[in-house]
Structure formats: structure tokens, C-alpha cells
Amino acid sequence: MGQIQVNWRKGKVLQGPFGVGKTTLMKTIQNSKRDQTKWISTSQLCNEVRSNGEAVIDQYAKTACLFIDDLGSQSEPTTVTHFGTEINPVHKLIEDRYYYVVHTQHSFPGCQLRMGWNEETKRYDTRHPESFFETYISTNLSFDQLVEKYGGYIVDRLVEMCDFEKMEGNSYRQ
């Protein structure tokens, strides 16, 4: 039996069909964290941005440990309008979070962000053992469907910030 190597300092994108326990697993991980955590579904994010504007995104982007539920769900609009301005909340959140994780060395409340310089890639490494920025995402979409919905640019950033894990099985709700 082989060993599974898990990097718990890198986030996770949990992919799989409805009812296999992605959200339950994320809740379990959240309960085990001592750092500052925030939880949001993508439809909730879209509603908050529609009501309060783009500034809402910043509070989630700078959170030490962020949980995003139902990425790409049917109830998630691609864009929302706030006082005539069109915003893609999920795209903006992932883009901003990537910026803070990869390009910032500051500490935010509840977060001791320390990045290590990776000599091979010539950039700050989010997988440095002392980095405390983590992103956990659940989705029913495949990798290709994520690329189709959000574009390769955004999914490429997710690949750098997170490991993709497939969860399989039948729905526990049946």
C-alpha cells in the first residue's frame, strides 16, 4: 500500500458529484483550524457584491484561511451589476487572493504570512512550510469545465494555490 503525500499548507480544490461529502470535509478542515477562517458560497459572494460592491471581495481575499463552497454552481451568476458596474465576483476574488498570496509578504490579522524564495522558479513560493494562506474550494465541475467557465488564467492561479482532489462515489443523501 502506497503512502499519500498531503501538503496541508497548500489549499485544496475538492471536485466531485453532488453528495459525496466535499462540503462536509471542508467543514471538518475548517473546524480543525486555529487561524482566522471565513466561509462563503459563490452564490452568497455574488449576492454580497451585488448589494455592497467590489469592496466586499477584499475582506475574503485577505483572510488567512478561506473556504469557498460550490464554485461554479448553477445559482452563481458569472457577473453581477452594482450601481451600473459589471463585476465577476469569483474571478476577482481568486485574482485578488492570488495576488495577496503570491506577491505580498505582509501579515494580515490572524495571518503570519512568510513566503520562501524558490530558487528554481525565481518567485516567492506559496508552498513554503511557514506560509499560512490557504484556500479550500468545493465544486461539481471538472477541471475542463472550470477552465471553460472562468478561463485558463484563473484556473492556472488555482493550480498554483491549491491541489486538486477528486472525490468519487454515490450521494450520501440518497
Side-chain angles (χ1 to χ4, degrees):
M1 188 180 283
Q3 288 185 327
I4 297 174
Q5 295 292 329
V6 178
N7 180 352
W8 287 106
R9 282 295 177 207
K10 190 173 180 186
K12 305 286 178 242
V13 175
L14 304 177
Q15 297 174 284
F18 298 99
V20 295
K22 299 179 300 292
T23 299
T24 301
L25 179 57
M26 286 197 340
K27 285 286 189 188
T28 302
I29 294 168
Q30 183 187 28
N31 289 337
S32 73
K33 297 289 179 185
R34 286 183 240 138
D35 294 336
Q36 172 193 6
T37 67
K38 287 193 181 189
W39 181 283
I40 192 158
S41 70
T42 54
S43 59
Q44 179 187 356
L45 175 67
C46 291
N47 288 336
E48 285 187 29
V49 171
R50 183 181 296 114
S51 298
N52 303 310
E54 204 172 319
V56 168
I57 294 170
D58 206 40
Q59 68 177 313
Y60 294 104
K62 290 182 178 179
T63 299
C65 190
L66 179 63
F67 294 84
I68 304 170
D69 196 28
D70 286 334
L71 182 68
S73 71
Q74 296 162 340
S75 61
E76 171 203 317
T78 303
T79 60
V80 298
T81 303
H82 177 72
F83 290 111
T85 303
E86 278 201 4
I87 305 164
N88 183 328
V90 174
H91 187 280
K92 178 92 173 103
L93 173 61
I94 292 169
E95 188 174 42
D96 287 1
R97 188 152 178 85
Y98 176 81
Y99 175 81
Y100 291 125
V101 169
V102 174
H103 298 290
T104 306
Q105 296 182 60
H106 298 97
S107 292
F108 298 107
C111 174
Q112 298 174 349
L113 179 61
R114 291 183 227 116
M115 301 263 204
W117 181 257
N118 185 324
E119 207 39 61
E120 187 177 315
T121 62
K122 304 292 186 209
R123 66 189 307 175
Y124 284 98
D125 190 348
T126 61
R127 292 166 297 273
H128 188 272
E130 294 184 15
S131 174
F132 287 87
F133 248 90
E134 299 168 80
T135 306
Y136 294 89
I137 298 171
S138 72
T139 184
N140 297 321
L141 302 181
S142 70
F143 187 87
D144 291 338
Q145 289 170 320
L146 287 170
V147 171
E148 185 178 317
K149 183 162 179 105
Y150 299 105
Y153 171 81
I154 289 299
V155 175
D156 186 58
R157 272 125 183 84
L158 285 177
V159 168
E160 187 169 351
M161 294 188 307
C162 304
D163 290 326
F164 282 66
E165 307 290 342
K166 289 186 181 176
M167 296 180 68
E168 298 175 346
N170 297 323
S171 174
Y172 292 108
R173 296 183 189 109
Q174 294 177 359

